[in-house]
Amino acid sequence: RRCHHRSTAMLDVPFLPFCTFLGTLGLLCVAMVGTWCQHWRGGFSLDGSSRTFNWHPVLMVTGLVVLYGAAALVYRIPHTWSGPKLPWKVLHGSLALGAFILTVLGLAAVFRFHNAQGTPNMYSLHSWMGLGTVLLFSCQWVAGFGAFLLPWAPAWLRALYKPIHVFFGSTILMLSVASCVSGINEKLFFSLKNGTMQYKLLPAEAVFANTLGLLLLIFGVLVVAALARPSWKRPDSDSPDSRQVRDVQGG
């Protein structure tokens, strides 16, 4: 029992340092995808060329993974465990809406590129997975807005939908990570065809982009782990834990 207690204590990471590390990791992912597209893929433009496509990975990683992950963790912040929930609901919904807007812009960039180049749309597994994730994301946001932000939503509906909302929140995040990782891999296969720069020879671009994919995977797993951790979940308003939090904060 003593050994088990010590091992549990060693794994007990405080939320705020964990959140700081996760935020740094998310910013690193955004910086890396921007560097990849700028340094190896030629930069950015809106002229329908491959530089227009480069907006796609940057916006999808920023919106669909990093910003969406931040939105998912709002209710794990200890300050949200007491007091009115409406400001935190608005923050959660706003971050998710911002992630959705960036995602739609990312889709617009890739469709504009394909149409300008005469490339068919929606033919790869990556595109099917990505569009399915975005559609699921949009349904999740609309349903969450109706159930939790509209004042006339009945309490029984919120209680019924809450576990579904939480489940699909984690599911969408992991689908987002899978879509981004498969997109990175697909782009490398399409781009690295030169005899001295083939993907199988693992040039510097491939190492950099593969590392980005691994960091995205780690980010997604850590967010889902934080969402699943019982001690970081917001206590129900009528639970003893919630009352204890209010008593401690009230002195």
Side-chain angles (χ1 to χ4, degrees):
R1 291 181 180 178
R2 186 174 301 174
C3 292
H4 175 72
H5 177 74
R6 288 178 179 175
S7 62
T8 303
M10 291 175 63
L11 296 174
D12 189 16
V13 180
F15 175 79
L16 291 181
F18 175 87
C19 195
T20 301
F21 170 77
L22 200 58
T24 303
L25 180 59
L27 292 176
L28 177 60
C29 290
V30 173
M32 287 185 67
V33 69
T35 301
W36 176 36
C37 293
Q38 179 66 45
H39 181 71
W40 279 287
R41 297 290 101 216
F44 305 90
S45 74
L46 298 175
D47 58 1
S49 67
S50 59
R51 292 183 299 169
T52 299
F53 172 86
N54 289 341
W55 287 108
H56 176 67
V58 171
L59 292 171
M60 301 309 270
V61 167
T62 304
L64 204 56
V65 177
V66 177
L67 198 57
Y68 184 83
L73 289 176
V74 163
Y75 287 113
R76 297 304 186 268
I77 301 174
H79 294 295
T80 67
W81 293 2
S82 63
K85 296 176 67 175
L86 182 59
W88 300 106
K89 288 182 180 181
V90 173
L91 177 60
H92 174 74
S94 299
L95 288 173
L97 180 60
F100 181 73
I101 292 173
L102 293 181
T103 300
V104 171
L105 293 175
L107 288 179
V110 71
F111 281 120
R112 177 179 174 84
F113 166 72
H114 282 175
N115 293 335
Q117 301 297 318
T119 304
N121 292 307
M122 304 303 301
Y123 64 89
S124 66
L125 177 60
H126 162 68
S127 62
W128 293 2
M129 186 186 305
L131 185 61
T133 303
V134 174
L135 292 176
L136 190 59
F137 183 8
S138 62
C139 293
Q140 169 90 339
W141 193 92
V142 171
F145 180 82
F148 300 120
L149 280 176
L150 294 182
W152 53 80
W156 65 265
L157 177 61
R158 296 179 182 181
L160 179 65
Y161 178 63
K162 182 179 178 180
I164 300 174
H165 186 77
V166 172
F167 170 77
F168 277 103
S170 299
T171 301
I172 291 170
L173 178 62
M174 295 313 298
L175 287 174
S176 300
V177 171
S179 299
C180 288
V181 171
S182 65
I184 291 170
N185 192 249
E186 183 178 281
K187 182 62 176 177
L188 291 175
F189 272 116
F190 286 161
S191 301
L192 299 181
K193 298 178 180 179
N194 187 296
T196 60
M197 295 290 292
Q198 294 184 53
Y199 191 11
K200 66 181 180 180
L201 300 178
L202 206 63
E205 180 182 355
V207 174
F208 189 89
N210 286 347
T211 302
L212 168 62
L214 289 176
L215 292 179
L216 287 171
L217 182 59
I218 293 172
F219 179 87
V221 169
L222 290 178
V223 172
V224 172
L227 294 176
R229 185 169 184 144
S231 61
W232 288 351
K233 292 183 179 180
R234 188 184 197 276
D236 294 332
S237 58
D238 56 348
S239 68
D241 291 338
S242 181
R243 290 194 295 270
Q244 183 179 4
V245 168
R246 292 196 297 269
D247 292 341
V248 170
Q249 293 186 349

